[in-house]
Amino acid sequence: DQQVKQNSPSLSVQEGRISILNCDYTNSMFDYFLWYKKYPAEGPTFLISISSIKDKNEDGRFTVFLNKSAKHLSLHIVPSQPGDSAVYFCAASASISGYSTLTFGKGTMLLVSP
Amino acid sequence: DTGVSQDPRHKITKRGQNVTFRCDPISEHNRLYWYRQTLGQGPEFLTYFQNEAQLEKSRLLSDRFSAERPKGSFSTLEIQRTEQGDSAMYLCASSILHGVETQYFGPGTRLLVL
């Protein structure tokens, strides 16, 4: 049973427009959420995170929104740039365990065209 | 570069052989995780160390897999009697708890078992 779901395998956006990547989760114990970006043949690179006590976190062009009641989070990239083209993974952890094993979604491939 | 490093980056082996991978975490990080990623999937948790103690192992970690972290610094992951199903990207991540815990990943070791 997948606890973190990214239902869109791919997304195409034009340069300068907004990219919105979505993620849903089922485990109500998750209280920390992260987005990672991954290029082929490289490890995931941390982008931005949000704690369950917040509903929004912003870092430059990247904003993550969390809707706990819907168990949904989204990553907004504005404006999108061709260099943003990569696979984006949503991940979640539950601090109740005392450490933070991450549960990942399957990823969304973002293609930003010039 | 003070990021997480992994060695080797690529490994091709024949079925039945043993392989060992190394991970060097960010120097002040006391937590170290191993994940495995196969094509089309997000990374999946394998095992977790806090300092030198191995505190959790996933059911994905069969008896053929063993991990160590002597002296709480670098870690090794050994796979004995490799099978074709072991072909994957093996990722190492490290972290330190500062209120919340963000894991930083290495570049991964891509294993191909022929």
Side-chain angles (χ1 to χ4, degrees), chain B residues 18-83:
Chain B
N18 298 344
V19 294
T20 300
F21 309 141
R22 177 181 170 123
C23 170
D24 286 89
I26 294 171
S27 59
E28 66 269 25
H29 287 185
N30 61 339
R31 298 181 171 194
L32 187 146
Y33 299 79
W34 284 97
Y35 293 82
R36 181 174 70 186
Q37 183 179 18
T38 53
L39 197 62
Q41 303 294 318
E44 295 174 291
F45 168 74
L46 291 178
T47 190
Y48 158 67
F49 289 86
Q50 179 152 321
N51 300 311
E52 67 276 8
Q54 187 175 18
L55 297 184
E56 186 177 356
K57 292 192 286 187
S58 162
R59 56 182 166 76
L60 292 176
L61 213 65
S62 76
D63 291 344
R64 296 184 296 105
F65 287 70
S66 63
E68 294 182 341
R69 193 182 181 199
K71 303 177 184 178
S73 56
F74 71 91
S75 176
T76 58
L77 178 67
E78 181 183 16
I79 309 174
Q80 297 182 326
R81 305 181 303 282
T82 53
E83 302 173 355

Side-chain angles (χ1 to χ4, degrees), chain A residues 5-87:
Chain A
K5 299 178 184 179
Q6 294 178 257
N7 292 320
S8 298
S10 63
L11 175 68
S12 293
V13 172
Q14 282 193 316
E15 182 178 7
R17 305 294 289 269
I18 184 171
S19 295
I20 300 176
L21 296 99
N22 294 303
C23 178
D24 297 292
Y25 61 96
T26 58
N27 188 340
S28 57
M29 301 304 292
F30 288 148
D31 57 4
Y32 189 52
F33 304 88
L34 308 91
W35 285 93
Y36 287 86
K37 174 181 178 181
K38 188 178 185 300
Y39 293 116
E42 294 185 11
T45 300
F46 170 70
L47 268 180
I48 192 168
S49 62
I50 188 166
S51 168
S52 60
I53 61 174
K54 295 184 176 181
D55 54 18
K56 177 183 174 180
N57 189 26
E58 190 172 355
D59 183 2
R61 297 186 298 115
F62 302 92
T63 303
V64 56
F65 295 92
L66 175 62
N67 182 334
K68 282 179 292 184
S69 61
K71 292 190 174 68
H72 177 83
L73 63 155
S74 61
L75 174 68
H76 292 210
I77 307 173
V78 182
S80 301
Q81 300 173 354
D84 295 331
S85 298
V87 178

Side-chain angles (χ1 to χ4, degrees), chain A residues 2 32 34 36 38 41-46 49 51 89 93 97-107, chain B residues 9 31 33 35 37 40-45 48 55-56 89 91 100-108 110:
Chain A
Q2 234 186 324
Y32 189 52
L34 308 91
Y36 287 86
K38 188 178 185 300
E42 294 185 11
T45 300
F46 170 70
S49 62
S51 168
F89 289 99
S93 66
S97 63
Y99 50 90
S100 299
T101 300
L102 293 176
T103 302
F104 284 84
K106 291 188 177 183
Chain B
R9 294 291 307 275
R31 298 181 171 194
Y33 299 79
Y35 293 82
Q37 183 179 18
Q41 303 294 318
E44 295 174 291
F45 168 74
Y48 158 67
L55 297 184
E56 186 177 356
M89 172 79 88
L91 294 161
V100 293
E101 180 185 349
T102 299
Q103 294 180 31
Y104 295 90
F105 284 81
R110 180 164 294 283

